Amino acid sequence: MMRWKTRGALALLAAATAASAPSEPSAPGTSAPFPADAALLAGRLRVTGEPGDFAFANPSAVGVVRRSDGWLLDFWPVPPVLPSAPQLGDHTFIDGLWQLHPIVTTAGAMYNVVAETVRDADGAVEATSTLGLGAGRLEIVTRYALDATAPRIDITTTLRHKDGGRLSAIGVGDAVKWGNVSYYVGGVGRAGENFSGRARWIGRKGAGGDLVLSTRDPMSLKFTTLQHGLAPAIYTTYATGSLGPGESLVVTRSLAYSPIAESPAKPSSATGTLEVTVRDEAGKPLAAKLSLAGLAGTRTPDFGSDGGTDGAGRFVWSGTGRFARALPPGRYSVMATAGIERDAARWTVDIAAGAVARVEGTLPRVIETPGWISGDLHLHQAASVDADIAHAARVLSVAAEGVELAVATDHFTVTDLAPTVRALECKGELASHVLTLRGTELSPVGRRFGHFGYFPLEPGARIGFTDTTPKRMFAEARAANPRGLLTANHPRMADLGYFHFYKLDPATGRVPASSSDEYDPSFDAIEIFNGLDQVSVPRIRKVLFDWLHLLGQGRRYTATGNSDSHKLFFLDPGVPRNLIRWGDAASDADDVNADPAAVVAAIRAGRVTVTSGPIIDLEAGGAGPGEAISGRGPRVPVHLRIRAAPWIDVSEVEVLLGGEGRRVRFFAVPPSREVVRLDTTFELTFSGSTFVVVLARGKKPLENVFAPGVYPFAFTNPVWLSP
């Protein structure tokens, strides 16, 4: 991979979803640049420009170029246009571009072009920079010109050799990001997640309609995903050459909202319809999810990566338990689920052309957890530049997984999902209520030292994240809400993990001396189990033992597990989830009415169990996770119960003691469909102040998640012990 060399930062506007449609700006007579103001930028998701940046507008589009570095940040159509990716639903007031900026390549290195001056030049925005490349120095001038009427920006970049010796193999291109959607390539059609080749255009369907980057002559294209389901940045090269003193290299391209014609579908036999109805144990409607698989030579459905709740991947979602889905003729396995506390229903269904196949079933609650609310504390939706999923689709997908608490943690902004929950309930489209909390994922840029969840927050809360430090950013978050909860998300993830960035030694709890002034240990929780790690129990255990070592040094960090979901069918919400003991409740139905402040306080106190399937009930001397006992001597009775829905496997249970994670009990659990898989009491002997945690794991993969080989895994927070 080529190495990026960059300076500058991505300054983004923290704005919540508008309650009403914003008024469109009036173009100043031409498409000439003008200073952006707050009125122009307000009320639209994903707007990244700020007042004072250069804007241009015509009757069909608005664009924004950042004044500080000359990068094209925003481009949206006028009047609003429905998205052309189903997962975005009806979000019309949403920017269609993340960022586009020129790059220069040479000798295996890639350089961001960061402007030193940005100005209005004859009706266009002109960004000028210089770049030294050893033997010689380049002047790089990029002009952005909005067409007078069409939703098209014409971009011209000129490389001029200013001084020094000849430069060979110089390339000029762009780095492009425009959402988490599938890409289309000229001459290829819908491309996969990895591509390298030449084409005259690349485009995507999504916010604002179809957006296309094109050139007259074929360009070289390359994109490679780092994580399946997360769309990669696109790198283009328009021309390469050798430049001597006084010589220039000029490239042009256009970014435009323009329809992408998909290849005609291959002729197929007529479809049939699958209709499914599922209810709860009382016969009431219930949010649920269908997982489909082909049998007896029938292909497993693939509804596409950008489909809506009526079909994405091989799944379908419903907020009421009523489904209708067209399918090619054939035989299918159909599995209906509504979370890990309910049983599943299964059918083998034959679909005939032109016919309707109907099945009904019940998804009864088989595990009672009153006083424990099931929460996913790390969810992305349309407000995040890398999550093309509508707020309604997010809420329905969360409810269908039996998650009772959804915390919105979009990058650079604060999202409120509560209005969406109310609207869906009013329309009769959501039968399972979801409690919501407003939050954000603090995502520093410039110096990218990790990602951090913070909630609750009020919409419009401003927390600096450009060229900042942990201490400064944490302090600003606390100032925005002193009662908020700060989580170090995916701390060992390359490039985006706090522990990874600062090379934290978990055995000592220290970072290298060179970073000690910057590193701040004052977060409240650690995301031990991130959805991206669901296919690797060893990766989960690595972070878990980091956490155990830190606890052994006296730190009191709560362990959490969250999906980090960015789409519908990938990183399924609630895989994993947190069971939070928030208070007393007469029934599970009362948990969705929990006091949000009590929920946050419970998380902070560590009254949390993390799971993707098994449910661990742990008591040591009558105390549960997050609680402490003392004064009873060096022995304590432990009661351990493991429960799981019949369709979830539990194979082994470990009891770990202290900061080294010493295994003091191991239980092999025989296969069973009974809800209670293990119920035992034993005496635990210990010396000094310590703590106990319990892990449970299944050896049979979950059947209702996208990724293969996802094994059930769960662990508790500690019960603290003192003689």
Side-chain angles (χ1 to χ4, degrees):
M1 181 182 297
M2 293 184 177
R3 180 176 296 278
W4 282 84
K5 298 184 178 180
T6 182
R7 63 183 178 84
L10 182 66
L12 297 167
L13 180 67
T17 306
S20 59
S23 59
E24 290 298 336
S26 57
T30 70
S31 57
F34 58 94
D37 60 19
L40 173 74
L41 302 172
R44 186 173 280 98
L45 297 175
R46 298 189 190 172
V47 169
T48 57
E50 293 191 331
D53 286 337
F54 284 99
F56 27 52
N58 67 21
S60 60
V62 176
V64 178
V65 174
R66 187 161 51 207
R67 183 181 290 271
S68 64
D69 56 17
W71 291 9
L72 179 63
L73 297 181
D74 302 309
F75 189 36
W76 64 80
V78 179
V81 174
L82 282 170
S84 50
Q87 274 193 36
L88 277 170
D90 59 358
H91 284 291
T92 53
F93 290 91
I94 181 169
D95 178 33
L97 181 68
W98 182 350
Q99 63 185 31
L100 181 152
H101 62 83
I103 57 175
V104 171
T105 61
T106 181
M110 182 182 295
Y111 300 84
N112 287 337
V113 176
V114 178
E116 294 154 3
T117 62
V118 183
R119 65 189 185 96
D120 178 351
D122 300 324
V125 177
E126 186 176 272
T128 303
S129 180
T130 57
L131 179 63
L133 294 175
R137 196 158 59 102
L138 294 173
E139 179 185 66
I140 306 164
V141 180
T142 299
R143 288 176 58 88
Y144 303 93
L146 179 67
D147 186 85
T149 58
R152 187 184 77 241
I153 300 173
D154 295 317
I155 308 168
T156 301
T157 298
T158 302
L159 271 63
R160 299 189 184 96
H161 192 298
K162 282 183 68 71
D163 51 52
R166 176 166 289 276
L167 298 170
S168 60
I170 299 297
V172 59
D174 284 319
V176 185
K177 296 180 181 179
W178 52 21
N180 191 16
V181 288
S182 297
Y183 299 157
Y184 293 77
V185 175
V188 175
R190 188 194 296 263
E193 294 181 315
N194 304 288
F195 180 84
S196 180
R198 294 181 64 79
R200 283 189 166 84
W201 62 267
I202 181 170
R204 61 100 181 119
K205 294 178 175 292
D210 299 354
L211 187 59
V212 176
L213 177 66
S214 61
T215 59
R216 290 192 183 92
D217 299 320
M219 56 182 158
S220 295
L221 286 169
K222 184 175 183 179
F223 50 86
T224 303
T225 188
L226 299 178
Q227 295 285 354
H228 182 68
L230 298 179
I234 301 164
Y235 305 121
T236 69
T237 303
Y238 305 113
T240 59
S242 175
L243 291 177
E247 295 177 345
S248 298
L249 182 63
V250 181
V251 298
T252 61
R253 61 277 196 202
S254 295
L255 183 69
Y257 284 99
S258 179
I260 297 172
E262 296 207 54
S263 301
K266 294 180 180 179
S268 62
S269 56
T271 62
T273 301
L274 170 67
E275 291 188 357
V276 178
T277 301
V278 294
R279 301 178 178 88
D280 70 7
E281 61 278 4
K284 296 180 180 179
L286 177 72
K289 171 185 178 181
L290 297 184
S291 306
L292 307 178
L295 299 174
T298 301
R299 296 183 65 178
T300 294
D302 183 356
F303 305 126
S305 61
D306 301 325
T309 52
D310 60 346
R314 61 181 182 91
F315 306 105
V316 188
W317 297 260
S318 169
T320 60
R322 295 188 295 271
F323 303 83
R325 176 69 215 190
L327 292 171
R331 175 165 288 189
Y332 296 89
S333 169
V334 181
M335 180 182 186
T337 55
I340 64 174
E341 298 170 38
R342 294 183 176 275
D343 202 354
R346 304 171 190 269
W347 306 271
T348 296
V349 180
D350 291 308
I351 301 294
V356 177
R358 296 185 177 90
V359 293
E360 295 187 5
T362 301
L363 305 180
R365 176 177 287 279
V366 293
I367 299 178
E368 302 289 339
T369 57
W372 294 77
I373 190 168
S374 168
D376 194 332
L377 316 179
H378 189 173
L379 293 165
H380 296 274
Q381 34 282 316
S384 285
V385 289
D386 57 356
D388 285 69
I389 172 173
H391 293 173
R394 170 56 72 220
V395 168
L396 292 173
S397 69
V398 165
E401 298 286 0
V403 174
E404 299 160 315
L405 167 67
V407 181
T409 55
D410 287 315
H411 303 286
F412 315 119
T413 190
V414 178
T415 298
D416 189 355
L417 293 174
T420 302
V421 171
R422 290 194 294 269
L424 289 170
E425 290 176 334
C426 287
K427 291 188 291 185
E429 297 177 5
L430 179 63
S432 304
H433 184 68
V434 177
L435 180 68
T436 66
L437 284 176
R438 298 182 295 260
T440 191
E441 184 166 31
L442 301 170
S443 310
V445 293
R447 188 165 175 78
R448 300 170 65 194
F449 52 80
H451 282 180
F452 307 86
Y454 198 78
F455 61 89
L457 283 169
E458 291 299 316
R462 301 286 295 188
I463 301 168
F465 45 80
T466 302
D467 293 329
T468 187
T469 65
K471 290 181 179 179
R472 187 190 315 159
M473 191 172 71
F474 293 2
E476 291 179 5
R478 304 281 190 201
N481 179 13
R483 294 188 175 90
L485 189 98
L486 181 64
T487 300
N489 289 343
H490 41 69
R492 285 295 180 190
M493 183 181 292
D495 298 328
L496 298 177
Y498 193 39
F499 296 174
H500 174 85
F501 183 87
Y502 282 109
K503 298 179 174 59
L504 176 75
D505 181 350
T508 65
R510 296 191 179 94
V511 299
S514 59
S515 302
S516 59
D517 288 341
E518 287 186 7
Y519 180 79
D520 188 343
S522 68
F523 44 94
D524 304 302
I526 303 173
E527 188 180 71
I528 304 299
F529 186 174
N530 178 276
L532 287 167
D533 293 331
Q534 62 184 263
V535 296
S536 175
V537 170
R539 285 209 302 263
I540 303 168
R541 289 180 70 101
K542 176 178 174 57
V543 184
L544 187 142
F545 273 80
D546 283 348
W547 167 65
L548 292 178
H549 294 331
L550 291 171
L551 295 184
Q553 298 163 35
R555 299 289 185 182
R556 292 290 184 101
Y557 297 127
T558 299
T560 69
N562 307 291
S563 70
D564 195 1
S565 181
H566 283 69
K567 301 192 80 168
L568 265 171
F569 76 102
F570 175 74
L571 297 185
D572 314 74
V575 183
R577 68 191 66 194
N578 304 276
L579 296 177
I580 306 158
R581 187 183 177 191
W582 67 274
D584 296 323
S587 69
D588 286 281
D590 293 335
D591 288 329
V592 292
N593 300 314
D595 176 8
V599 173
V600 174
I603 299 171
R604 191 189 312 278
R607 298 197 295 272
V608 176
T609 295
V610 176
T611 182
S612 61
I615 294 177
I616 306 172
D617 301 313
L618 168 66
E619 285 189 353
E627 298 176 337
I629 61 169
S630 62
R632 302 188 186 183
R635 295 181 179 85
V636 63
V638 175
H639 180 212
L640 178 59
R641 181 176 62 166
I642 309 295
R643 295 179 290 171
W647 55 279
I648 295 172
D649 182 52
V650 181
S651 302
E652 54 190 45
V653 177
E654 297 176 84
V655 180
L656 305 182
L657 186 67
E660 297 305 312
R662 180 169 61 91
R663 181 195 286 180
V664 294
R665 288 287 191 283
F666 177 85
F667 301 93
V669 182
S672 174
R673 287 183 52 82
E674 296 295 323
V675 170
V676 178
R677 308 299 173 85
L678 177 69
D679 194 341
T680 186
T681 300
F682 57 90
E683 189 174 71
L684 183 65
T685 302
F686 61 95
S687 60
S689 295
T690 187
F691 58 89
V692 60
V693 300
V694 175
L695 282 59
R697 179 185 178 185
K699 293 183 179 179
K700 181 181 177 182
L702 295 170
E703 301 173 71
N704 67 333
V705 298
F706 169 73
V710 175
Y711 297 95
F713 188 77
F715 57 91
T716 70
N717 269 269
V719 178
W720 299 93
L721 310 173
S722 294

